[in-house]
């Protein structure tokens, strides 16, 4: 039993069989030759509310990324490499062609298939300005025309479409937030003045949550309240939130900070800014094209750039850091109880991936503080562990088996912090190759954990530290080494990251993951993930202001998978010190049996 | 005595005292309120011919980078951090304000000083389109106007200006070039067709030299023949070279490849392309704004991008690689004779930096193959070694002294290859700190030399490998780890580089430097530089196509500066193997005394 995750695949290919023709009828009525259906909501969020799951409702495809293009005589679903197989199983391929993104983007497929004079519709609330621009170019090259729709044609045929989410908004306590919304707004206004814009449109609900110290429950796994705000460089902000989400109390708190208005009123506010000829900053990653057009049509000057709040939010304050430490202590104890349970139950061969994910959620729930999992647990045994973004369903479920590896990547949302941890453990006896690969991944993990680097360095400069031990024997992994993590917010937060594309300078207070891996297709997957906090470092005799990482995550790393001979003395020192800290910090929180098991699991290897 | 380098500072501040007023007179005659004087020629080359040394003639400043802006009532010389002190000593600071680039760019200084309605002139042959754009914006913000000049106003007052260079063009032998110009042109045309441009204007003389297998001697240290070419996607190229540089023989060889025309004829060719409405690629890094305007005014469509030849040239073919190996063998023997000489003569305290640079050039000249040094030798003892771009003059010269370090960064141009090597040696007894820092720099050097990395990786991903041993104790160095190097061409060649800004994928056949360092201001400098060749690597049991480096440079690394306890077993193995190779390869080329010295200098440390 899981409260926060489902392992069922409710969707079926038959959905598309009936719904694609319905949509074509609707398009014909509107004089459209085609329509594009992205997997997106009005805020480009990672998790979207049920009423925005148009792609899955229309086609049966439940992946987290993908775009359908429906024309009168053909249709395509463009998905990335993670989802080509899944999509082929989930949609009616007689009606919908599966197009791998590596072969053709949705834009390129449209260009090749729309036809001269074709009119393609798009919902301007579900695309950014950049997205519309790329689409417009492709449609123009095809000799067609791109037009925004009034309302979404899918909604017109989706008769039992759920209502928009209306989860109650909660106010974050000053103890957890660490900075008042007033102070945050003052810092935001400073940025706006510096960048010479008259106002900022807050379209990213994560930034809304941070700025106003509010949280919600409108989508799964991330405590967002969907809504908007307009923050002028001078004067009072307006917060656009469904009044149904507010109680008298929360309304009073927020009303002290900002004018409150329903989301519908945003159009009027933009028209007013437009009429004044204002230069208004939109966040290019999350602002819907429709918003920008509302300002432009009213005579305003849209400035598509980055929302300055994104960087402010990334740097955690003292209260948020204290919260993160407390969350990781609690979470580490729950994960340790889970690892003990896996060690006891797994080798018998009777534990399924789903049962394991459920057990882990149960251990976390038993802390009494679990608000949600921070993403669907990746619970992969044997070959399933090699699928980087694996999500177990009843159809793919298999048992943990002796002689195999079990990879579990999971996280929790507690009010004081968001966690994300991956442990890979041996079920029974691992092979020498597994031990070699695991140890190399561990060496990469330690290279990040122990890195010192000058202030101003970016994650791009550190990324290869995590890969070198694999590179030296001709191996690698196909994902970044680390992503940013929020404070009781998204488990995937920018702009900080450790990746060759991570050019943002790391700053003290940023939280990131440290998660190198190795994946042998069809055999096993390895990933070792801890969250790390950027902190200033004093180096005796040093000349430069340096930064380093504090490892926040507390849970043992499977000693049975470590080939000690491959580790340097410094690496052994790090591992033993980490394990000593894990044992010392977690033991007081554990029952006697688990404490005994942990003592053994954290014995020095040096 | 040096044939290829001067250690005199011929310029004097008095130059500006008389010439700035002369220039102001000329500007007034032309109705200009100011004029901008960059240190540039028509090709944005690193080394410019004597007739393009306008900045030094006008102001006395001899640095390799800087920009003067001369207004009616004030003038500035904007220079980067390397040159602020030098500039202050070289120019009349009563007339010319020295502006550090870190404080203000030439554009920003112009914006602040030009004044409303001011008319600033620029020579469109000495600025790229991008440069003009930035300048135009600054002038517009000042409320002024930017106008191109007809001819350069400095030339009008520079009565004894030397004529343009007319060194004879030589044709590269097929054995050294390794690919015919016809084959190269076919590959260039393929790129143009793929990028859908009708022609390419070759404005970079390095690319001209590579494509047509020609070399020249128009500037110091790099065997360039200044000129242009137009390569159409279909049809015969035209080579624009001063006919005075060609003999009947060289004219015949080049005439078989291309129509030959004097540089003056380029304007007509661009007008013709313009009239045909052609889309023409210009290299944004080297194409003068004047060229682009000629095409645009004639109705053409300038496409400012990168010259595809730059990447083709960076990947050396088999003959170029064989040439590089031969050049490094020869050069290594000369450098080893020099290191032996320094070891014998230095500790007595009677060797000056200039005498050392002259001795090194002499050892190289004695190979009988030296065509030029590849850049002015950086010969820095003690505190001078800490100045990264140090160039010794009579004024700064000092002797190598016991207890100090001596850093020598130098290179040679041989017909078969270009070299670049830095060695840092102890004169007398080094301190424990010097040994610690040297060993850390060596660890960084070895980390690059031994790196394996997946095909597609860039130098940006490797750069931090060279820094980590310094970072771990709070130190760093303020330059890239490596730059590309040409094949008997520039010692600084793009696009390949090892630096946080080096985003070009490394490809087999590229040559780069590997030169981490450490600089203690006022005390000593350390740099260890070898050239390395990117090569494919087979890794047993590996899954990815991998690349690695072959070290081309052959010369001992000072064992007396190595703290063995700081090295890992793998690092010791690399060093001992490198030294064994150096000893094995160079010994047959050395006299007995040097051979004996080298045997001792390359003893295993493990």
């Amino acid at each position: 039993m899981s409260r926060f995750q489902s392992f069922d695949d409710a969707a079926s290919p038959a959905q598309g069989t009936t719904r694609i023709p319905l949509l074509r009828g609707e398009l014909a009525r509107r004089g459209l030759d085609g329509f594009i259906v992205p997997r997106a909501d009005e805020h480009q969020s990672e998790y979207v509310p049920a009423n925005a799951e148009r792609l899955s409702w229309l086609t049966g495809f439940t992946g987290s990324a993908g775009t359908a293009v429906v024309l009168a005589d053909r249709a395509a679903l463009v998905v990335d490499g993670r989802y080509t197989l899944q999509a082929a199983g989930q949609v009616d391929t007689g009606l919908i062609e599966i197009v791998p993104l590596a072969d053709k983007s949705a834009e390129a497929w449209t260009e090749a298939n729309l036809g001269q004079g074709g009119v393609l519709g798009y919902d301007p609330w579900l695309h950014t300005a950049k997205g519309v621009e790329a689409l417009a170019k492709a449609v123009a090259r095809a000799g067609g025309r791109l037009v925004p729709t009034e309302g979404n044609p899918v909604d017109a045929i989706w008769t039992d479409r759920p209502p928009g989410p209306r989860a109650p908004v909660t106010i974050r306590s000053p103890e957890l937030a660490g900075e008042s919304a007033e102070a945050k707004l003052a810092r935001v206004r400073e940025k706006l003045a510096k960048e010479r814009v008259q106002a900022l449109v807050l379209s990213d609900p994560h930034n809304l949550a941070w700025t106003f110290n509010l949280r919600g429950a409108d989508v799964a796994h991330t405590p967002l309240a969907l809504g908007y705000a307009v923050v002028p460089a001078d004067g009072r902000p307006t917060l656009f939130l469904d009044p149904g989400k507010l109680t008298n109390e929360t309304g009073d708190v927020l009303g002290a900070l900002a004018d409150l208005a329903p989301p519908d009123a945003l159009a009027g506010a933009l028209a007013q800014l437009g009429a004044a000829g204002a230069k208004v900053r939109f966040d290019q990653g999350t602002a819907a094209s429709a918003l920008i057009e509302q300002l432009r049509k009213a005579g305003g000057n849209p400035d598509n750039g980055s929302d300055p709040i994104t960087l402010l939010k990334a740097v955690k304050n003292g209260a948020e850091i204290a919260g993160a430490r407390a969350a990781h202590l609690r979470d580490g104890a729950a994960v340790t109880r889970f690892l003990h349970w896996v060690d006891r139950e797994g080798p018998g061969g009777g534990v399924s991936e789903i049962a394991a994910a459920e057990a882990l959620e149960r251990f976390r729930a038993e802390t009494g503080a679990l608000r949600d999992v921070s993403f669907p647990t990746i619970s992969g045994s044997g070959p399933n562990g090699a699928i980087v973004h694996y999500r177990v369903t009843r159809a793919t479920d298999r048992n943990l088996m002796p002689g195999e590896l079990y990879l579990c990547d999971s996280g929790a949302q507690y009010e004081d912090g968001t966690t994300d941890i991956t442990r890979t453990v041996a079920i029974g006896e691992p092979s020498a190759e597994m031990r070699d690969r695991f140890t190399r991944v561990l060496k990469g993990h330690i290279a990040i954990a122990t890195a010192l680097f000058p202030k101003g360095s970016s994650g791009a400069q550190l990324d290869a530290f995590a890969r070198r031990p694999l590179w030296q024997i001709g191996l690698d992994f196909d994902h970044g080494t680390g992503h940013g993590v929020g404070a009781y917010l998204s488990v995937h937060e920018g702009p900080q990251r450790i990746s060759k594309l991570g050019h943002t300078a790391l700053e003290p207070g940023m939280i990131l993951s440290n998660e190198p891996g190795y994946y042998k297709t069809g055999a096993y997957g390895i990933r070792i993930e801890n969250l790390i906090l950027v902190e200033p470092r004093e180096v005796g005799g040093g000349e430069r202001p340096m930064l380093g990482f504090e490892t926040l995550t507390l849970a043992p790393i499977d000693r049975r998978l470590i080939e000690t001979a491959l580790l340097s003395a410094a690496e052994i020192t790090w591992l033993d010190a980490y394990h000593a800290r894990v044992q010392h910090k977690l033991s007081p929180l554990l029952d006697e049996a688990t404490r005994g098991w942990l003592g053994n699991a954290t014995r020095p290897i040096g």
Side-chain angles (χ1 to χ4, degrees), chain A:
Chain A
M1 250 298 293
S2 165
R3 187 172 152 206
F4 299 115
Q5 310 182 67
S6 155
F7 306 104
D8 296 314
D9 246 341
S12 114
Q15 290 172 212
T17 318
T18 56
R19 292 166 188 173
I20 292 284
L22 277 174
L23 178 61
R24 285 183 173 139
E26 175 67 20
L27 296 180
R29 266 188 295 283
R30 291 168 176 244
L32 295 174
D33 299 303
F35 186 64
I36 183 160
V37 184
R39 201 266 182 184
D41 70 359
E42 290 84 346
H43 307 276
Q44 303 288 328
S45 292
E46 182 175 358
Y47 298 105
V48 305
N51 74 329
E53 290 281 16
R54 296 180 183 90
L55 181 64
S56 129
W57 179 84
L58 181 70
T59 67
F61 171 68
T62 58
S64 68
T67 307
V69 186
V70 179
L71 303 179
D73 59 345
R74 71 196 75 176
L77 172 62
V78 182
V79 291
D80 63 50
R82 290 177 282 173
Y83 289 125
T84 40
L85 280 179
Q86 177 181 329
Q90 289 189 315
V91 312
D92 178 344
T93 50
L95 265 182
I96 304 171
E97 175 193 357
I98 305 300
V99 178
L101 183 60
D103 296 352
K104 222 168 235 183
S105 64
E107 291 79 11
W109 189 89
T110 302
E111 181 179 343
N113 289 281
L114 180 62
Q116 185 71 32
V119 180
L120 185 79
Y122 72 98
D123 180 343
W125 288 98
L126 304 184
H127 300 262
T128 64
K130 251 191 191 156
V132 172
E133 204 180 300
L135 200 52
K137 275 189 189 159
V139 167
R141 280 192 297 264
R145 206 152 50 84
L146 182 70
V147 298
T149 59
E150 280 287 329
N152 194 301
V154 173
D155 299 355
I157 58 167
W158 188 357
T159 46
D160 58 348
R161 180 170 171 247
R166 268 191 151 184
V169 163
T170 56
I171 304 296
R172 205 146 164 73
S173 76
E175 293 70 37
L176 291 174
E179 183 180 13
S180 70
E182 287 88 348
K184 289 179 178 180
L185 282 163
R187 289 205 285 147
V188 172
R189 283 195 200 95
E190 240 174 69
K191 294 273 177 192
L192 300 185
K194 211 168 157 186
E195 302 194 20
R196 297 180 192 193
V197 295
Q198 275 90 57
L200 166 70
V201 172
L202 252 153
S203 53
D204 182 342
H206 303 82
N207 292 0
L208 196 75
W210 179 86
T211 307
F212 292 94
N213 286 333
L214 61 82
R215 295 294 187 271
D218 285 346
V219 302
H221 312 319
T222 308
L224 301 179
L226 300 183
Y228 300 92
V230 173
V231 180
D234 292 307
R236 203 169 151 77
T238 309
L239 192 46
F240 300 89
L241 278 175
D242 186 325
K245 297 180 185 176
L246 301 175
T247 60
N248 286 347
E249 286 83 24
T250 55
D252 284 352
V253 173
L254 296 175
L257 299 168
D259 293 338
L260 301 183
D264 290 356
L266 177 56
L270 289 172
Q272 216 170 338
L273 282 165
K279 183 173 174 186
V280 177
R281 169 66 53 86
F282 289 91
D283 179 37
Q284 56 193 356
T286 64
S289 162
L291 285 175
I292 297 166
E293 289 311 309
Q294 284 176 346
L295 182 84
R296 193 196 312 278
K297 276 180 190 155
N301 175 12
D303 177 40
N304 294 334
S306 66
D307 180 344
I309 296 170
T310 304
L311 190 54
L312 299 177
K313 174 176 98 247
V315 176
K316 275 68 181 172
N317 62 38
E320 289 170 324
I321 291 170
R325 290 200 183 107
H328 278 89
L329 191 63
R330 182 185 313 118
D331 200 56
V335 169
T336 298
R337 290 181 66 200
F338 170 67
L339 291 173
H340 177 209
W341 177 86
V342 168
D343 196 31
R344 207 177 55 219
E345 305 293 332
V351 174
S352 71
E353 294 168 344
I354 290 178
E358 287 174 338
L360 176 52
E361 190 181 314
R362 191 171 62 241
F363 288 119
R364 284 188 162 123
E366 284 171 11
T367 65
L370 184 68
R371 291 286 175 275
D372 200 334
V373 296
S374 60
F375 60 97
T377 298
I378 297 174
S379 176
S381 75
N384 285 345
I387 303 168
V388 174
H389 294 271
Y390 179 62
R391 194 184 147 198
V392 52
T393 64
R394 307 270 168 223
T396 66
D397 195 16
R398 69 192 290 285
N399 282 11
L400 283 54
M401 298 299 289
E404 294 189 344
L405 297 184
Y406 170 62
L407 182 159
C408 185
D409 186 350
S410 71
Q413 294 286 7
Y414 304 108
E415 259 200 279
D416 48 5
T418 302
T419 70
D420 186 359
I421 173 173
T422 309
R423 286 296 180 268
T424 304
V425 296
I427 306 299
E429 196 60 39
S431 71
E433 184 192 277
M434 289 170 180
R435 288 164 51 92
D436 176 89
R437 303 302 183 263
F438 184 91
T439 307
R440 288 175 186 277
V441 171
L442 177 62
K443 285 170 80 77
H445 181 95
I446 296 173
I448 296 292
T450 60
L452 287 180
F453 46 96
K455 202 163 165 287
S457 301
S458 70
Q461 294 178 261
L462 307 183
D463 180 67
F465 288 161
R467 301 178 192 274
R468 187 168 173 125
L470 290 165
W471 284 0
Q472 292 299 117
I473 58 164
L475 308 178
D476 197 4
F477 56 93
D478 289 329
H479 56 75
T481 297
H483 55 80
V485 175
Y488 190 44
L489 268 177
S490 177
V491 76
H492 293 143
E493 177 181 281
Q496 73 275 29
R497 60 199 285 201
I498 302 174
S499 132
K500 65 180 172 181
L501 303 173
H503 297 301
T504 300
L506 299 182
E507 293 182 42
M510 287 177 168
I511 294 177
L512 298 113
S513 68
N514 169 13
E515 51 176 314
Y518 169 72
Y519 310 91
K520 184 162 178 171
T521 306
Y524 58 86
I526 295 166
R527 188 156 66 247
I528 305 173
E529 178 186 26
N530 284 342
L531 296 195
I532 52 181
L533 168 73
V534 183
E535 56 176 17
R537 281 287 174 85
E538 284 295 331
V539 185
E543 296 168 350
R544 316 267 174 141
M546 304 297 289
L547 304 176
F549 297 117
E550 172 191 331
T551 291
L552 296 170
T553 303
L554 297 166
I557 293 167
D558 194 346
R559 297 170 80 265
R560 297 164 303 181
L561 282 167
I562 298 172
E563 183 56 57
T564 312
L566 282 177
L567 296 182
S568 71
E571 288 163 343
I572 290 172
T573 300
W574 181 88
L575 184 74
D576 286 346
Y578 176 69
H579 269 158
R581 186 157 72 94
V582 167
Q583 196 267 340
H584 173 75
K585 293 269 190 188
L586 297 186
S587 285
L589 285 72
L590 300 173
D591 59 277
E592 201 179 315
T594 309
R595 200 182 310 134
W597 177 87
L598 179 64
N600 187 52
T602 54
R603 283 183 347 263
I605 61 160

